[in-house]
């Protein structure tokens, strides 16, 4: 069973791309909050972190890039799923994003509609399963302690 986050925070410095991503995700039934750069995204995150269940960020932005944004967000929430988008198809960029803490990496190419929505579903399901596993392990630990 997949649950949708209250909102997805989408970050991109290109207003056209930001609007396209917002329309695409809203068309798939997601609530979307947008930010035009990393600094704005951090400010939104600090206010709305309880309502945001996924962050999708462009990799290359002026000021704070996608990797720096991941580091900043991870300072206060290690568990929030974060995806990186980029036009750069070099494997080194993908590795940099994943090693930097991204849960997934999606190319901005002619297949973005299919790949982005599939990746969003995959990342959210993985996050849901990890959360459920932590809850079950905690319950099991309490029950074992009570039995002892």
């Amino acid at each position: 069973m997949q649950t949708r986050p209250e909102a997805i925070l989408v970050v991109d410095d290109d207003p056209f791309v930001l609007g396209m991503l917002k329309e695409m995700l809203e068309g798939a039934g997601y609530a979307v909050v947008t930010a035009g750069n990393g600094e704005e995204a951090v400010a939104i995150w600090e206010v709305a972190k309880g309502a945001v269940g996924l962050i999708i960020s462009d990799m290359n932005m002026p000021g704070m890039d996608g990797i720096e944004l991941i580091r900043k967000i991870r300072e206060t929430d290690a568990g929030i799923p974060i995806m990186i988008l980029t036009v750069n198809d070099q494997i080194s960029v993908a590795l940099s994003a994943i090693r930097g803490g991204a849960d997934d990496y999606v190319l901005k190419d002619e297949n973005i509609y299919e790949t982005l929505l599939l990746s969003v579903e995959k990342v959210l399901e993985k996050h849901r399963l990890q959360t459920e596993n932590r809850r079950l392990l905690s319950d099991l630990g309490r029950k074992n302690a009570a039995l002892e």
Side-chain angles (χ1 to χ4, degrees):
M1 177 179 114
Q2 180 179 349
T3 57
R4 292 190 182 260
E6 195 168 323
I8 296 175
L9 173 56
V10 180
V11 188
D12 200 299
D13 60 318
D14 183 330
F16 175 77
V17 172
L18 196 59
M20 180 200 64
L21 294 171
K22 179 177 171 56
E23 184 178 316
M24 181 187 311
L25 290 164
E26 287 178 342
Y30 295 100
V32 178
V33 178
T34 61
N37 58 55
E39 292 83 1
E40 185 181 348
V42 169
I44 290 169
W45 171 253
E46 289 173 353
V47 173
K49 65 175 113 183
V52 172
L54 172 65
I55 298 170
I56 301 173
S57 177
D58 186 20
M59 177 75 138
N60 296 313
M61 298 179 287
M64 183 184 298
D65 69 14
I67 300 299
E68 292 174 87
L69 176 60
I70 291 171
R71 286 188 194 115
K72 186 69 175 170
I73 297 295
R74 296 278 190 234
E75 289 174 6
T76 58
D77 188 337
I80 182 78
I82 302 174
M83 295 172 53
I84 290 289
L85 300 175
T86 187
V87 296
N88 192 327
D89 63 355
Q90 294 180 348
I91 191 68
S92 62
V93 175
L95 290 173
S96 175
I98 300 300
R99 287 182 179 139
D103 293 280
D104 205 354
Y105 169 91
V106 175
L107 283 175
K108 293 181 190 177
D109 62 11
E110 64 275 356
N111 300 314
I112 190 168
Y113 185 80
E114 294 82 8
T115 57
L116 179 65
L117 294 178
L118 182 63
S119 292
V120 165
E121 290 173 13
K122 180 186 78 164
V123 166
L124 290 174
E125 181 64 8
K126 178 183 172 189
H127 180 68
R128 186 195 67 77
L129 289 171
Q130 288 172 333
T131 301
E132 180 67 7
N133 283 343
R134 283 191 296 274
R135 187 193 64 76
L136 290 171
L137 286 171
S138 177
D139 288 350
L140 183 59
R142 281 195 298 278
K143 289 177 181 176
N144 282 339
L147 287 173
E148 290 176 357

